[in-house]
Amino acid sequence: EEQLVESGGGLVQPGRSLRLSCRASGFTFGDYAMSWFRQAPGKGLEWVAFIRSKTHGGTTGHAASVKGRFTISRDDSNSTVYLQMNSLKIDDTAVYYCADSSGYYWGQGTRVTVSS
Amino acid sequence: DIQMTQSPSSLYASVGDRVTISCQASQDIKNYLNWYQQKPGKAPKLLIYHASNLETGVPSRFGGSGSGTDFTFTINSLQPEDFATYYCQEYGDLLYTFGQGTKLEIK
């Protein structure tokens, strides 16, 4: 069964860092481009970052709202995609989801709360 | 960047009704459009890809149409489990912009 499992969320103070992980199983992870999305409380969905497969260069893209603060990366040997989040702001508070870039596979989400 | 305008933001309907949701892109995205369903506390579920292709396992009462800048999502004969929030999402420019969402509620 195909599955994505996020981890690493929690409560963090503004300005601090957090790294989210998303472990895949049940499909050939290395063949897939992967993305992170987020959803602030009571709000809609927002794309955060994507990373292409190594076959397609492994290039990345980040939303303007997180560019320069967040970095997406992947470790195909561990079927894991990461989101390094630095200089966190209160507005980054959200449930963060990883998904394959086709939108078919989604994780259950991990909650990040940025608060002093 | 491409902007996605989804309407209406909320919709009241009854079981058995037919409902339609619209999504307009600020520029031509060909057919690079997904439709998702999201229920409270859950991840989105992909229903329609490439504007009109029904994802495997999704009931045939769901449908999508359109290309270029104007898209439509339809549910025929609403079922109780269909009351949820629906989002369009473009992927023409790899920025994966979503519409604002449509909350479908029971009348």
Side-chain angles (χ1 to χ4, degrees), chain B residues 29-80:
Chain B
I29 59 169
K30 298 181 172 51
N31 65 342
Y32 297 132
L33 188 94
N34 288 335
W35 289 97
Y36 294 90
Q37 176 193 69
Q38 188 180 33
K39 295 184 176 178
K42 300 294 187 183
K45 176 185 177 183
L46 180 63
L47 302 179
I48 303 286
Y49 64 96
H50 291 340
S52 60
N53 292 272
L54 197 66
E55 188 55 73
T56 304
V58 174
S60 59
R61 64 180 181 273
F62 294 96
S65 64
S67 66
T69 60
D70 293 300
F71 302 87
T72 301
F73 173 77
T74 302
I75 311 173
N76 292 303
S77 187
L78 269 173
Q79 298 302 298

Side-chain angles (χ1 to χ4, degrees), chain B residues 1-2 4 20 34 36 51-52 59 79-80 85 92 94 96 100 102:
Chain B
D1 295 357
I2 298 172
M4 302 301 293
T20 299
N34 288 335
Y36 294 90
S52 60
Q79 298 302 298
T85 300
L94 295 180
Y96 301 102
Q100 300 91 329
T102 297

